[in-house]
Amino acid sequence: MNCIKCGISVPENQVFCDTCLADMEKYPVKPDVTVVLPQRKEAVVSKKKSRKRTIPPEEQLRRVKSRLRLAHLTLAVVFICFLLVAAMLLKYLQG
Ligand SMILES: [Zn+2]
């Protein structure tokens, strides 16, 4: 269990740590006041989950190859377009 105010580890049956309890004792909140708890840092568990998993080399190679194929295809399409434009321009210039 962690203190719901500051996030520090507290005994199982406790909601706030001793520091926060003492703090709140010093500055009591009136009953009709809305209290906004500070944003806590992500828990360690979720940090581990979001960490990038390592990709096996075969998969990396496959991805690079497919990306390279796409690049080649794009280049070919651009080149064909260029040839078409050039041919049309030549035809136009020749009358
Ligand atoms: Zn606390």
Side-chain angles (χ1 to χ4, degrees):
M1 184 76 191
N2 293 321
C3 168
I4 63 170
K5 193 160 177 278
C6 71
I8 209 167
S9 186
V10 292
E12 202 53 58
N13 58 345
Q14 216 169 309
V15 178
F16 296 106
C17 68
D18 294 334
T19 315
C20 288
L21 278 176
D23 259 14
M24 286 185 286
E25 206 105 338
K26 268 191 277 178
Y27 309 104
V29 178
K30 285 172 195 152
D32 57 342
V33 172
T34 313
V35 176
V36 180
L37 292 173
Q39 283 263 315
R40 290 220 313 253
K41 284 173 198 159
E42 254 184 83
V44 181
V45 181
S46 55
K47 232 182 212 171
K48 260 184 192 164
K49 236 184 207 174
S50 64
R51 197 182 286 168
K52 251 187 179 177
R53 62 192 168 84
T54 48
I55 307 159
E58 312 91 58
E59 176 69 12
Q60 280 183 340
L61 196 70
R62 204 183 61 76
R63 282 186 194 184
V64 167
K65 273 183 180 173
S66 80
R67 213 174 297 159
L68 208 66
R69 206 179 306 137
L70 191 75
H72 281 156
L73 199 73
T74 311
L75 209 69
V77 168
V78 167
F79 186 66
I80 288 166
C81 285
F82 172 76
L83 279 183
L84 277 173
V85 168
M88 278 161 71
L89 206 68
L90 212 65
K91 230 177 191 178
Y92 175 76
L93 285 176
Q94 283 174 343

